[in-house]
Amino acid sequence: MNWADLNLMPALPELFLVGALSAILLLDLFVSDAKRGITYALSLLTLLVCAVLQVSTFQPFATVTFSGMFVDDPLSDIVKVAMYGATALVLVYTRQYTKDRGLYRGEYFTLTLFALLGMNLMVSASHFVSLYMGLELLSLSLYSLIALQRESGRAIEAAMKYFVLGALASGLLLYGVSMVYGATGSLELAKVAQAISSGSANGTLLVFGLVFIVAGLAFKLGAVPFHMWVPDVYQGSATAMTLMIGAAPKLAAFVFVFRILVQGLGAMAGDWQGMLVILAVLSMAIGNITAIAQTNLKRMLAYSTISHMGFLLLGLIAGTNTGYASSLFYIIVYVLTTLASFGILLGLSRAGFECETLDDLKGLNGRNSWYALLMLLALFSMAGIPPLAGFYAKFAVIQAIVAKGSLVWLAVVAVLMSLIGAFYYLRAVKVMYFDEAQDNSPIAMSADMKLVLSLNALALLGLGVMPERLIALCVEAIKQSLTVL
């Protein structure tokens, strides 16, 4: 580390987050359960300040610091701001839910912020060591969050499954990274890319390392055949923790994959694109077909997530800036949709009752037509029905694949799988609008949650009607992020 040339400005939001997190951790020791709202407010304030710092330090080019281990570029800026917003929505949506279940404690807020810190490091890492540090900080925080519900056998089982399979995936990833290091002599992404492009790297070691790396990345995304943990963890976790797993970490996972495969191993695109094609087809097929048989909403949304990860991979397979930008747009829309759908489930849950089966949605339109409309917008967006944002997101990645020319068949498969997937989303809509309610108890939702949830769901409509500015921002971010090489 050359301390004389150290530039801390690109990491200013992370430094503030560490300081604020430490302060919240200490202050919460002196806060009683009755005044836990102080910790909640401080956590939201921390996210707001981090977002302001991120925007204020924005630069339209890439800056590398910490001896090549940390990069600040438009891609990291956009994704970090999105992660701050997603984490804030998670805290707002889960406030009453966690209160009703005894989870509204300091550990919940600090672990959430620790997970965010890990995500930030993943997004800005330009070195395999910092990438892995961010990944493990995020993973350990998520394991702990799931296990917070100590009296729940399902939650403990979900945490253990996630931990064991996560450790296996980390081992695969590390083994692949060690081979890449042996082949190139460096762990810095830019130098790895340079060694591969110049032909000085050991090709045999690189290919072996790539296989293990793709397997580890596929697990983190939840792509088939490394998807076994997703439905079990989604269903076993408390809904608040399921939302945390399914929202902001997906943004970090996309950038994590982009940094490694595109920025570090971009010269080997011909090798990893073939593997991603298999992962994408299997994920779209198994995710959508298996979801049809599910009656548990969280498990259905878990298989839905698997299918969406298959669509996400299409943009990476295209191998163009437009393709990468379409994947970035897709994951942002996916996170917004996940927040809205799980937000409704959290709002419908109450002390002693979990809204997690299709039957729990029966007659929702009769109970509260506004909440039914918000859920309809979220489900239609997931299904890719115009004019919702999900339609444009799917259209963008499929268009990128079609432009590739040789992979038109993959676009046809994606369209067919999307049609199959529409069935289980429309089934949930049918249950809400045409079935008789089994539970007519009033739906109690705080005013702030109702407002934020409404804006969240309506944003899906707004982005679907006017997606141009966000997609242009994604294209520019991808373009600038690749200039760092």
Side-chain angles (χ1 to χ4, degrees), residues 280 284 309-318 327 397-398 400-401 410 414:
M284 289 186 292
M309 293 305 103
F311 277 96
L312 174 71
L313 293 174
L314 296 181
L316 294 171
I317 293 167
S327 284
V397 293
I398 290 173
I401 282 292
L410 185 56

Side-chain angles (χ1 to χ4, degrees), residues 117-367:
L117 182 61
M119 288 185 266
N120 273 19
L121 188 53
M122 287 170 65
V123 165
S124 280
S126 58
H127 194 283
F128 276 112
V129 171
S130 48
L131 279 165
Y132 185 72
M133 286 172 58
L135 175 63
E136 286 307 296
L137 180 54
L138 168 63
S139 299
L140 291 171
S141 300
L142 293 181
Y143 305 151
S144 303
L145 277 170
I146 296 169
L148 269 184
Q149 203 175 15
R150 291 188 291 269
E151 71 283 356
S152 170
R154 286 200 317 172
I156 298 301
E157 181 185 350
M160 288 303 298
K161 283 181 179 178
Y162 197 11
F163 172 72
V164 172
L165 292 174
L168 175 63
S170 295
L172 291 173
L173 186 63
L174 279 179
Y175 193 57
V177 169
S178 68
M179 288 188 175
V180 170
Y181 176 70
T184 62
S186 177
L187 289 173
E188 190 175 336
L189 292 179
K191 292 181 180 178
V192 167
Q194 187 178 8
I196 297 172
S197 299
S198 65
S200 61
N202 185 308
T204 305
L205 265 182
L206 274 176
V207 172
F208 273 104
L210 179 64
V211 172
F212 285 100
I213 286 174
V214 170
L217 295 177
F219 176 90
K220 298 305 177 184
L221 285 174
V224 177
F226 306 96
H227 66 292
M228 302 79 67
W229 63 275
V230 181
D232 290 341
V233 171
Y234 269 48
Q235 184 178 1
S237 307
T239 308
M241 310 314 171
T242 306
L243 176 56
M244 183 61 204
I245 297 168
K250 298 302 183 186
L251 289 162
F254 165 73
V255 182
F256 186 76
V257 172
F258 178 82
R259 298 281 189 209
I260 293 177
L261 293 185
V262 179
Q263 290 189 314
L265 305 174
M268 299 181 69
D271 296 304
W272 54 255
Q273 281 172 345
M275 288 185 269
L276 293 192
V277 168
I278 297 172
L279 294 175
V281 171
L282 289 176
S283 297
M284 289 186 292
I286 293 177
N288 281 314
I289 294 171
T290 311
I292 293 173
Q294 308 305 315
T295 56
N296 183 285
L297 284 168
K298 286 161 67 175
R299 201 169 184 85
M300 184 191 84
L301 290 173
Y303 282 107
S304 166
T305 295
I306 293 167
S307 71
H308 283 295
M309 293 305 103
F311 277 96
L312 174 71
L313 293 174
L314 296 181
L316 294 171
I317 293 167
T320 61
N321 284 4
T322 303
Y324 303 143
S326 67
S327 284
L328 176 57
F329 179 84
Y330 193 100
I331 200 62
I332 292 173
V333 170
Y334 166 80
V335 169
L336 272 175
T337 310
T338 298
L339 287 164
S341 57
F342 275 99
I344 294 292
L345 298 186
L346 287 164
L348 296 178
S349 300
R350 57 183 183 276
F353 171 74
E354 295 281 347
C355 178
E356 58 176 33
T357 68
L358 277 172
D359 288 345
D360 295 331
L361 289 181
K362 283 185 175 180
L364 179 58
N365 184 54
R367 295 173 63 194

Side-chain angles (χ1 to χ4, degrees), residues 365-416:
N365 184 54
R367 295 173 63 194
N368 191 303
S369 58
W370 180 245
Y371 296 148
L373 175 62
L374 298 183
M375 190 63 168
L376 179 143
L377 291 175
L379 291 171
F380 273 16
S381 183
M382 284 187 181
I385 296 175
L388 279 304
F391 166 76
Y392 190 84
K394 287 187 176 181
F395 177 77
V397 293
I398 290 173
Q399 190 178 42
I401 282 292
V402 170
K404 181 88 172 171
S406 60
L407 292 174
V408 174
W409 67 269
L410 185 56
V412 174
V413 170
V415 172
L416 291 175

